[in-house]
């Protein structure tokens, strides 16, 4: 076997499994060794049943005394209940919808269980733990890999074991000198340790190496991107076009912060140098209006402009807004997305080439090679953290040195933004439009759920709308999480006239749905035809529904603080008081602290920093954070020190060997080209 081999060379990987693996972006054995565990199970210690502690995770071995299969009445779950004891005490193990396990567990035999301990009606219990016969039990630290439908943990572990001898073939693109200087372990060692951590120290060293790599490669790549932007001479837009009148005619006066951002952008646009500006502003701070003014200026200066948004829904919302605003100004606005009919696309592409469409709004469909502009002068990317570096570059390359504006609600401290975005200038919108009542945030537990939904009902009765967000679509491996489907069924029963006794319309929205279906539901919600929307995080980005006043987040412990903050930003966009309810499925110190932060602060920057403090550095079971798409392990905020250090090293290498042509840098060069996508070469 070789690293370049397809996964199908593995025993047990046929077309079905290969398809499932492809969903995890795994096609070759090399991809496989980079599939790192998302967590580890520490099975080095066995806990006596009598000493089990609520809310901890533990391994126990006990004799099955009794097996009971409960068939509940309608709507309740069918459960298999094991009574297990080990001399120090007894406990119950629960499995839902698992009648098939009855055959597996024999009364009088010993089994090992590993899982989270929770409190049930009759005492401590484990729900859906991992299990095996006692004699099969192995001690150690076990990797937990990300899964997708059709794959099991057992399979992935077995395949990882099969592939692991190949890890030694992995070429290290850093020289020995470089590694010694930066106290980095060898790449194959780091990879091997991630799959099989051994002790804490070697795990930390391995993780450090991989985080360093990501941040180092990122900065080498960005340096190349920057130099590729080429000459700093750009298009100068005409001074004093009618934008001041346009601003005066807006339905609201700009906030001071918006005004400042607009002034900075106008100065950039009128200057001879190309604009490269990042606008950072919390959710709801009014970034769209700022973009709109820039678009207006581009058109009035005789250029075309384009705005790219990460989702169809968001793109369409921008499109509707711009089309209405610009209609009276005789500005032609077009829309392009992958969901459109071929004929429609063709018409739009032609109109663009002829310069008839002056402003194009769309999803990433607009970076397709056959989308050409006549005279592109301004490129805007909304929620830019959702796009890859190469996507941004490809959009930019549709014009000749067009001005570039990127907008983000992800709070990145100014100093960090300077590293990540290099020579990007930054405008911060640090003020909310007036009259916005801060969203009232309440932390709740499962026993308050009833009260919470009574409140939701009152809001619906008042003609408002509500979101309920859950972390997962389907029943999951951990059954203490309420799935979107489950919540949706329950709420439909309660609120929806078509399904139950209620008077409202409820709908479910999740990421696995077809694009058209998602769009239809979102449109219905925005138009008020749906009152209650149960959703997974697909609604996180940017959409605006002013009469939505309630955001309920189920299993709040499963969400990042920044993510919850984004979600909360979806409500309170109209004049009415808005509410956010965080329902926690677990009552730990951390989850209480997290809720407290959400209650106290409505400032995205502050929340991001508190999040960082809470998570702390170097935790063995640390969560992955996704910022830039290529960052799997590194977190720009948490690993700020490594970022800085790696940045200095990147600079030093490029100063010495700008094209990475020297023999010892060749592997590094290949790696960078590989990461930054096809056709991406270092041209310095
Ligand atoms: P975001 O920064 O999250 O993209 P939006 O641009 O979507 O925020 O703006 C959120 C809402 O605030 C919109 O309904 C918009 O019309 C409104 N808004 C923006 N600027 C102002 C302002 N200066 N005064 C009042 N409302 C504003
Ligand atoms: Mg926005």
């Amino acid at each position: 076997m070789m690293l370049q081999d397809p996964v199908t060379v593995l025993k047990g990987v046929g077309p079905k499994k290969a398809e499932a693996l492809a969903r995890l972006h795994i096609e070759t054995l090399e991809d496989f060794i980079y599939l790192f565990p998302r967590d580890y199970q520490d099975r080095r210690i066995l806990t006596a049943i009598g000493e089990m502690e609520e809310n901890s995770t533990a391994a126990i071995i006990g004799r099955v005394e009794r097996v009971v299969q409960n068939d509940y009445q309608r709507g309740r779950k069918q459960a298999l209940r094991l009574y297990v004891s080990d001399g120090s005490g007894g406990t119950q193990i629960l499995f839902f919808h698992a009648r098939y396990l009855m055959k597996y567990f024999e009364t009088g035999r010993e089994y090992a269980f590993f899982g989270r301990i929770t409190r049930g009606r009759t005492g401590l219990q484990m729900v859906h733990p991992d299990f095996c016969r006692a004699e099969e039990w192995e001690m150690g630290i076990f990797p937990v890999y990300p899964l997708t439908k059709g794959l099991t943990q057992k399979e992935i572990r077995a395949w990882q074991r099969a592939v692991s001898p190949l890890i030694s073939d992995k070429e290290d693109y850093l020289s020995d000198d470089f590694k010694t200087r930066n106290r980095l372990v060898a790449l194959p060692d780091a990879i091997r340790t991630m799959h099989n951590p051994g002790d804490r120290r070697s795990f930390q060293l391995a993780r450090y190496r991989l985080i360093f790599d990501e941040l180092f490669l990122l900065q080498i790549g960005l340096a190349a991107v920057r130099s590729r932007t080429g000459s700093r001479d750009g298009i100068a837009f005409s001074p004093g076009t009618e934008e001041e009148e346009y601003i005066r005619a807006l339905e609201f006066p700009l906030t001071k912060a918006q005004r400042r951002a607009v002034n900075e952008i106008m100065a950039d646009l009128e200057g001879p140098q190309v604009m490269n500006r990042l606008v950072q502003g919390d959710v709801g701070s009014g970034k769209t209006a700022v973009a709109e003014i820039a678009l207006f200026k581009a058109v009035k200066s005789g250029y075309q402009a384009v705005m790219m948004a990460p989702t169809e829904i968001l793109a369409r919302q921008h499109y509707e807004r711009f089309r209405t605003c610009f209609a009276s100004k005789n500005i032609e606005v077009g829309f392009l997305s992958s969901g459109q009919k071929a004929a429609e696309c063709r018409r739009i592409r032609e109109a663009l080439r002829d310069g008839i469409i002056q402003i194009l709004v769309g999803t990433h469909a607009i970076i397709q090679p056959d989308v050409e502009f006549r005279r592109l002068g301004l490129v805007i990317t909304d929620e830019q953290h959702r796009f890859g570096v190469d996507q941004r570059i490809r959009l930019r390359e549709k014009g000749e040195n067009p001005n570039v504006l990127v907008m983000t609600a992800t709070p990145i401290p100014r100093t960090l933004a300077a590293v990540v975005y290099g020579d990007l200038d930054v405008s911060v919108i640090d003020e909310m439009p007036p009259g916005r009542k801060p969203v009232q945030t309440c932390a709740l537990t499962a026993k308050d759920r009833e009260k919470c939904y009574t409140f939701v009902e009152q809001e619906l009765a008042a003609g408002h709308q509500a979101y309920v967000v859950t972390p997962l679509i389907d029943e999951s491996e951990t059954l203490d999480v309420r799935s979107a489907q489950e919540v949706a069924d329950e709420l439909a029963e309660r609120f929806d006239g078509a399904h139950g006794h209620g008077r409202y319309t409820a709908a479910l929205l999740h990421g696995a749905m077809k694009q058209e279906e998602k769009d239809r539901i979102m449109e219905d919600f925005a138009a008020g035809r749906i009152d209650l929307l149960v959703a997974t995080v697909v609604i996180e980005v940017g959409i605006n529904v002013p009469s939505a006043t309630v955001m309920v987040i189920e299993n709040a412990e499963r969400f990042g603080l920044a993510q919850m903050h984004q979600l909360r930003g979806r409500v309170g966009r109209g004049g009415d008081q808005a509410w956010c309810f965080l329902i926690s499925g677990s009552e730990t110190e951390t989850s209480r602290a997290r809720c407290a932060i959400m209650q106290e602060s409505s400032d995205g920057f502050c929340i991001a920093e508190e999040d960082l403090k809470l998570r702390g550095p170097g935790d063995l079971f640390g969560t992955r954070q996704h910022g830039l798409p290529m960052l799997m392990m590194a977190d720009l905020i948490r690993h700020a020190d490594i970022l800085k250090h790696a940045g200095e090293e990147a600079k030093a290498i490029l100063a010495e060997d700008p094209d990475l042509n020297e023999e010892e840098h060749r592997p590094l060069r290949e790696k960078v080209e590989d990461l930054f996508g096809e056709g991406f070469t270092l041209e310095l």
Side-chain angles (χ1 to χ4, degrees):
M1 285 197 300
M2 302 211 301
L3 285 170
Q4 292 74 30
D5 285 344
V7 284
T8 42
V9 301
L10 288 167
K11 209 171 136 230
V13 182
K16 269 256 173 58
K17 297 287 178 188
E19 205 173 286
L21 285 167
R23 279 201 297 276
L24 294 173
H25 305 289
I26 296 176
E27 276 156 20
T28 64
L29 299 186
E30 168 145 27
D31 297 337
F32 221 112
I33 64 173
Y34 272 101
L35 177 73
F36 293 138
R38 61 170 169 77
D39 204 350
Y40 297 90
Q41 291 177 350
D42 189 349
R43 298 191 186 173
R44 287 170 302 181
I45 299 166
L46 270 179
T47 302
I49 292 179
E51 283 161 23
M52 282 173 27
E53 274 176 46
E54 186 179 350
N55 286 326
S56 67
T57 300
I60 57 170
I61 287 188
R63 182 182 310 282
V64 170
E65 308 289 354
R66 211 146 53 88
V67 181
V68 179
Q69 167 71 44
N70 292 345
D71 288 310
Y72 282 112
Q73 67 273 40
R74 196 175 76 94
R76 296 285 290 275
K77 281 177 181 158
Q78 190 186 63
L80 181 71
R81 198 175 285 266
L82 309 178
Y83 293 82
V84 176
S85 73
D86 70 352
S88 72
T91 189
Q92 292 185 27
I93 314 282
L94 254 82
F95 296 96
F96 295 110
H97 299 298
R99 196 189 277 280
Y100 62 94
L101 286 176
M102 274 189 83
K103 284 202 293 288
Y104 179 84
F105 291 106
E106 292 168 38
T107 314
R109 245 188 120 134
E110 284 195 325
Y111 296 85
F113 299 95
F114 179 89
R116 205 174 160 69
I117 299 163
T118 53
R119 185 166 294 282
R121 255 167 304 155
T122 55
L124 294 181
Q125 63 182 28
M126 279 188 185
V127 181
H128 275 243
D130 280 1
F131 56 86
C132 63
R133 300 204 168 86
E135 57 275 20
E136 293 163 355
W137 175 250
E138 281 178 71
M139 308 273 257
I141 296 181
F142 286 78
V144 180
Y145 291 99
L147 292 179
T148 182
K149 210 173 156 146
L151 295 175
T152 69
Q153 204 55 246
K154 259 202 183 107
E155 284 170 332
I156 300 232
R157 282 182 191 157
W159 293 328
Q160 286 289 4
R161 271 195 298 274
V163 176
S164 70
L166 296 182
I167 294 175
S168 318
D169 301 349
K170 182 75 199 154
E171 188 182 21
D172 201 334
Y173 36 79
L174 298 178
S175 69
D176 290 343
D177 263 5
F178 186 93
K179 277 182 287 197
T180 318
R181 190 165 71 236
N182 292 294
R183 288 192 218 106
L184 297 170
V185 297
L187 184 61
D189 292 344
I191 295 173
R192 206 173 292 116
T193 305
M194 288 308 292
H195 294 292
N196 193 0
D199 62 275
R200 175 175 274 270
R201 177 76 190 142
S202 42
F203 174 75
Q204 280 170 339
L205 285 171
R207 224 167 71 108
Y208 184 84
R209 161 77 208 243
L210 294 163
I211 291 170
F212 181 95
D213 275 25
E214 285 183 2
L215 297 174
F216 176 73
L217 293 169
L218 170 71
Q219 290 178 90
I220 294 246
L222 287 174
V225 172
R226 257 166 241 152
S227 67
R228 208 185 176 197
T229 324
S231 101
R232 316 295 302 139
D233 287 343
I235 303 160
F237 286 177
S238 324
T241 44
E242 298 141 53
E243 70 267 7
E244 285 308 321
E245 288 151 48
Y246 186 82
I247 293 170
R248 270 195 300 278
L250 282 173
E251 71 267 38
F252 43 68
L254 294 179
T255 63
K256 274 207 217 64
Q258 281 171 318
R259 186 69 246 192
R260 203 174 346 107
V262 168
N263 288 349
E264 287 165 350
I265 291 167
M266 292 305 138
D268 283 357
L269 290 176
E270 290 173 12
Q273 293 198 328
V274 80
M275 173 168 82
N276 253 318
R277 185 169 286 277
L278 169 74
V279 174
Q280 221 178 69
D282 223 333
V283 193
S285 60
K287 293 185 290 296
T288 317
V290 172
E292 186 178 319
I293 295 161
L295 291 172
F296 180 75
K297 173 128 185 140
V299 173
K300 283 290 159 188
S301 305
Y303 288 90
Q304 286 171 300
V306 61
M307 180 148 153
M308 177 165 72
T311 63
E312 169 116 14
I313 295 161
L314 188 54
R316 203 170 274 283
Q317 194 161 54
H318 285 326
Y319 168 66
E320 297 296 344
R321 153 112 201 148
F322 298 153
R323 204 180 47 158
T324 333
C325 296
F326 292 139
S328 60
K329 309 278 171 200
N330 285 322
I331 296 176
E332 196 63 35
V333 187
F335 179 78
L336 200 63
S337 86
S338 46
Q340 270 165 321
K341 295 230 162 58
E344 176 73 359
C345 285
R346 211 169 317 120
R347 196 185 59 73
I348 301 227
R349 283 199 305 266
E350 253 161 50
L352 264 181
R353 224 169 295 140
D354 297 344
I356 294 167
I357 291 182
Q358 293 156 297
I359 294 174
L360 179 70
V361 183
T363 61
H364 58 271
I366 61 186
I367 57 181
Q368 297 310 314
D370 54 359
V371 178
E372 291 163 28
F373 293 83
R374 188 182 159 84
R375 212 170 171 231
L376 183 61
L378 172 68
V379 166
I380 304 183
T381 315
D382 193 16
E383 309 291 350
Q384 77 83 27
H385 62 287
R386 289 301 182 103
F387 294 101
V389 177
D390 61 321
Q391 285 177 309
R392 250 191 296 149
I393 296 171
R394 276 158 66 195
L395 184 59
R396 169 186 306 187
E397 286 179 345
K398 298 222 173 269
E400 252 172 72
N401 271 348
N403 290 296
V404 172
L405 188 64
V406 294
M407 308 201 291
T408 181
T410 309
I412 301 174
R414 207 181 261 265
T415 47
L416 262 186
V419 182
V420 180
Y421 301 114
D423 51 0
L424 234 58
D425 298 306
V426 181
S427 296
V428 179
I429 306 186
D430 52 4
E431 180 188 357
M432 284 291 166
R436 199 68 70 73
K437 300 186 188 89
V439 179
Q440 293 279 336
T441 303
C442 309
L444 308 174
T445 57
K447 57 180 192 299
D448 306 311
R449 182 172 285 126
E450 183 49 38
K451 259 187 272 169
C452 171
Y453 284 111
T454 308
F455 185 88
V456 170
E457 198 157 9
Q458 283 166 13
E459 286 292 304
L460 296 185
H464 298 155
Q465 288 164 284
Y467 294 98
V468 178
V469 175
T470 78
L472 301 159
I473 318 163
D474 297 317
E475 310 244 340
S476 64
E477 52 323 359
T478 37
L479 276 230
D480 49 359
V481 176
R482 282 156 58 78
S483 74
Q485 187 63 57
E486 205 177 334
V487 172
D489 290 348
E490 241 172 70
L491 294 181
E493 176 80 11
R494 173 173 187 150
F495 291 118
D496 195 328
H499 299 86
H501 342 279
R503 295 183 288 127
Y504 308 102
T505 307
L508 171 65
L509 181 73
H510 59 73
M513 279 176 166
K514 283 227 177 60
Q515 192 58 49
E516 302 96 78
E517 203 177 352
K518 282 195 270 196
D519 290 344
R520 189 177 44 75
I521 292 175
M522 230 24 256
E523 266 160 40
D524 283 350
F525 187 69
R529 289 188 291 271
I530 290 172
D531 307 294
L532 180 76
L533 188 65
V534 180
T536 55
V537 276
V538 286
I539 57 156
E540 186 194 331
V541 173
I543 44 156
N544 200 10
V545 182
S547 71
T549 56
V550 189
M551 168 66 66
V552 180
I553 301 180
E554 290 271 1
N555 287 101
E557 76 282 0
R558 286 278 186 131
F559 291 90
L561 287 184
Q563 209 174 18
M564 287 200 272
H565 180 65
Q566 292 267 338
L567 285 170
R568 180 168 64 181
R570 301 292 115 229
V571 296
R573 295 186 152 225
D576 296 303
Q577 178 62 55
W579 304 82
C580 176
F581 298 103
L582 309 174
I583 304 184
S584 294
S586 75
E587 263 292 272
T588 60
E589 255 327 286
T590 331
S591 87
R592 260 192 295 273
R594 282 158 42 88
C595 288
I597 293 166
M598 291 296 294
Q599 277 177 296
E600 276 156 29
S601 180
S602 54
D603 175 340
F605 282 83
C606 167
I607 287 175
E609 260 158 44
E610 290 296 327
D611 198 12
L612 166 65
K613 279 188 215 151
L614 258 188
R615 284 184 287 162
D619 52 334
L620 181 63
F621 301 116
T623 46
R624 279 175 168 197
Q625 271 279 310
H626 295 261
L628 289 160
M630 60 177 289
L631 298 183
M632 305 290 285
M633 306 187 50
D635 178 323
L636 296 173
I637 297 178
R638 261 164 98 194
H639 305 130
D641 290 346
I642 311 179
L643 180 72
K644 186 153 168 276
H645 177 66
E648 283 159 8
E649 286 295 338
K651 245 194 229 130
I653 284 205
L654 289 172
E656 194 192 301
D657 178 15
D659 298 322
L660 299 180
N661 266 336
E662 277 170 34
E663 195 52 40
E664 68 166 331
H665 295 148
R666 197 70 63 69
L668 175 60
R669 183 192 170 117
E670 276 165 22
K671 179 76 188 172
V672 174
E673 289 178 355
D674 196 32
L675 271 178
F676 280 78
E678 233 170 277
F680 184 89
T681 47
L682 284 164
E683 285 166 8
L684 294 153

